[in-house]
Every structure is written in C-alpha cells, then in structure tokens.
Amino acid sequence: MENLFSLEGKVALITGASYGIGFGLAVALGKAGARIVFNDLKQEKVDAAILEYKKEGIDAKGYVFDVTDEVLVNRHIALIEQEVGVIDILINNAGIIKRIPMHEMSAADFRQVIDIDLNAPFIMAKAVIPSMIKKGGGKIINICSMMSELGRETVSAYAAAKGGLKMLTRNIASEYGKYNIQCNGLGPGYIATPQTAPLREEGNPFNSFIIAKTPAARWGTPEDLQGPAVFLASKASDFVNGHILYVDGGILAYIGKQPE
Ligand code: NAP
Ligand code: GCO
C-alpha cells in the first residue's frame, strides 16, 4: 500500500510555491519522493524559499516566471524538461484574490484575477500535456476553492475564476483521460496563509464567522492539505479523474453553527 503513495522518480512542478499552500504541498510531494520544482514572480522570494525547502530536507529547484505569460511559461517548461526532466505532476497553485464589491470593481481588476486564477492554469496545463502524453501519463492538480461552489460578498472575480477552474479541471479530465492523464481539483476550505491574513486580523468578525461555519471549528493549515495532495499526485488516484477533493473541515456539508 505504501508504494501506491510513493512519488519516487517523479518530477513535480508547483506554481506560486515560495510560501503558503504551494510551499506546504511541495514539501509533502518532496517528502513522498518527488523532485520538486517551483516558481514565483520574484527571484528574492525563490531564493528565500530554496533555503526554507532545504530546512525541510528538500532540494527544490526554483524558477522566476509569471504563469500568465504563455511565452515565458513555454520557455520555462522547456528549460525545466532540459534541466530536471519531464513534468509528471503539475499543481496549479499560483493565485490571487481581490476583495472588492462587484459594482466597485474595475474590469481590469476582474480580468487580472481571471488571468491568474483561470487563464494561467489553462496555459500551464497546455504546456505540460504534450510531454505527459509522450511519457504515457501524468497528474494535473488545480487548486480550487470553497468559491468553486459558493459565493460571498466582494469576491465575484475570484468565485468566477475558481468556478471556471472546477470546470476546466473536469474538461481536462474528459479530454486527456485516455492518455492516462488524471486531472483533479483540490478545494481547500479557509486556510491560514498570507492570502487570508486580512480575514484573521484581530477583531475581524470574519474570523469567528468562519469558525462557526466550519464543523472542525478552526482555520485549516497548509499541512491539512498535504495528505490529499500526495493522494491526488500518486498512483493511488489513477482511477480518480475530474474530481474536486474538498479539504474544508466540513464547511460545504454544514449550514453553520446553530444559535445556542
Ligand atoms: P498566497 O499566500 O497569496 O500565495 C500565492 C502565491 O502565488 C504566492 O507565492 C504568489 O507569489 C504566487 N503568485 C501570484 N501570482 C502569480 C503569478 N502571476 N505567477 C506566479 N506566481 C504567482 O496564497 P495561498 O493562500 O497560499 O493560496 C494558494 C492557492 O490556494 C491560490 O490559488 C488560492 O486561490 C488557493 N486557495 C487558498 C485558500 C486559503 O484559504 N488560503 C483556500 C482555497 C484556495 P508572490 O508572493 O510573488 O505574489
Ligand atoms: C475569502 C477567502 C477565500 C479563501 C478560499 C476559500 O476572501 O473568502 O480568501 O476565498 O481564500 O478560497 O476556499
């Protein structure tokens, strides 16, 4: 059974993985045996992250490129294939959120969120699929969200992107399953990272709101996502395709804490 979850001999690329959820996922895949490759927008963040990976016993290789830039993405995928090897596992993790009431949000802001959170996973998947086909298969994991299923005030662009990412996941699964490529989504609940730091600030009512909406009665951590990510990246999930695995402490199952 242990071998089912082994990633020995596999090359995994995790986007936006200098810190946060991406870093946690990369550590998990590295500890399961994968060769870890990651990217970020800034060299200084990549350099700092490489030291943090080393503290985890992982010799990660970092690249600097913007996942929305198709020319840069294709150039770096070719470079990674040359320097490290064909990418067996792609985790589309890089993402942003803008919390603005929709009627106040500019079209440029809306487009930027869609570009990074939805267009970029398309660009990245398109770049790695040809070599996965040649190699006989691969794994693509898209980081979805509660907002793949639910809406809330001020996150219209993000919800549209993450809802679209759910269907992009299902379509890649449909189109490339015959090549032994499995494409699944990982849908975190509310996770304590820099992205949600504003929601967890002292006195922010959203903090207690999320605790009341989560049966586990706590914020999640990147570590909560590590086992599910290794599962979706490994042989153990070879017949799981087009599935969104929600790791949310039960939020999607729960109406919310009843009044006492
Ligand atoms: P985070 O702390 O904001 O980290 C996002 C990462 O993505 C950063 O390393 C960032 O790099 C990178 N990034 C942003 N735009 C990029 C681009 N154009 N090209 C390359 N890298 C880029 O976010 P997180 O909380 O770890 O979330 C990671 C993923 O999980 C996102 O897709 C998010 O939507 C999703 N998610 C988060 C939660 C949560 O509660 N935290 C829940 C569900 C889903 P820079 O620092 O250089 O900008
Ligand atoms: C927000 C949060 C959420 C989380 C996550 C939940 O403002 O509602 O940032 O969107 O990031 O996506 O799954």
Side-chain angles (χ1 to χ4, degrees), residues 162-203:
K162 293 297 187 180
L165 186 57
K166 172 175 74 173
M167 284 314 302
L168 177 63
T169 299
R170 289 180 175 159
N171 215 76
I172 293 171
S174 305
E175 195 164 0
Y176 295 97
K178 60 177 172 282
Y179 299 109
N180 187 33
I181 293 171
Q182 292 84 48
C183 182
N184 291 291
L186 186 66
Y190 278 79
I191 310 295
T193 71
Q195 191 242 52
T196 54
L199 304 175
R200 288 179 283 107
E201 276 165 6
E202 192 63 37

Side-chain angles (χ1 to χ4, degrees), residues 13-260:
L13 168 60
I14 303 91
T15 64
S18 296
Y19 56 87
I21 286 174
F23 181 84
L25 299 180
V27 167
L29 270 59
K31 291 189 173 178
R35 176 80 169 92
I36 298 303
V37 181
F38 72 101
N39 83 310
D40 204 301
L41 285 165
K42 302 175 189 81
Q43 188 64 53
E44 59 270 24
K45 289 195 176 178
V46 166
D47 295 344
I50 285 171
L51 298 176
E52 292 305 310
Y53 280 113
K54 276 194 171 35
K55 290 177 190 168
E56 298 285 345
I58 291 163
D59 175 20
K61 192 160 176 57
Y63 293 83
V64 178
F65 62 91
D66 181 338
V67 291
T68 66
D69 184 326
E70 188 166 25
V71 171
L72 285 180
V73 167
N74 291 336
R75 188 179 303 156
H76 282 87
I77 296 301
L79 188 59
I80 292 166
E81 290 186 355
Q82 193 186 332
E83 294 183 346
V84 184
V86 166
I87 293 159
D88 301 289
I89 302 157
L90 167 67
I91 299 186
N92 280 311
N93 167 79
I96 66 166
I97 192 167
K98 286 181 185 287
R99 301 182 182 97
I100 305 168
M102 197 186 89
H103 68 289
E104 295 170 12
M105 180 180 263
S106 70
D109 275 341
F110 191 94
R111 285 195 190 96
Q112 187 188 12
V113 174
I114 297 289
D115 207 18
I116 296 167
D117 294 8
L118 179 57
N119 294 345
F122 156 75
I123 290 169
M124 290 297 304
K126 186 180 150 198
V128 303
I129 280 171
S131 294
M132 284 185 174
I133 291 174
K134 284 195 196 97
K135 192 168 182 180
K139 300 280 188 179
I140 298 173
I141 301 166
N142 293 321
I143 305 302
C144 296
S145 162
M146 296 292 92
M147 274 61 222
S148 296
E149 302 293 343
L150 304 169
R152 84 171 185 84
E153 299 81 356
T154 76
V155 296
S156 58
Y158 185 82
K162 293 297 187 180
L165 186 57
K166 172 175 74 173
M167 284 314 302
L168 177 63
T169 299
R170 289 180 175 159
N171 215 76
I172 293 171
S174 305
E175 195 164 0
Y176 295 97
K178 60 177 172 282
Y179 299 109
N180 187 33
I181 293 171
Q182 292 84 48
C183 182
N184 291 291
L186 186 66
Y190 278 79
I191 310 295
T193 71
Q195 191 242 52
T196 54
L199 304 175
R200 288 179 283 107
E201 276 165 6
E202 192 63 37
N204 186 336
F206 199 90
N207 200 8
S208 50
F209 167 72
I210 283 302
I211 301 292
K213 286 289 285 180
T214 309
R218 66 174 175 87
W219 282 78
T221 66
E223 289 70 28
D224 287 318
L225 304 169
Q226 292 183 322
V230 170
F231 165 66
L232 289 178
S234 69
K235 276 194 67 54
S237 62
D238 277 4
F239 204 54
V240 178
N241 203 16
H243 182 71
I244 313 298
L245 178 54
Y246 287 105
V247 187
D248 64 355
I251 292 176
L252 290 178
Y254 188 39
I255 195 170
K257 187 170 178 50
Q258 60 193 28
E260 280 166 358

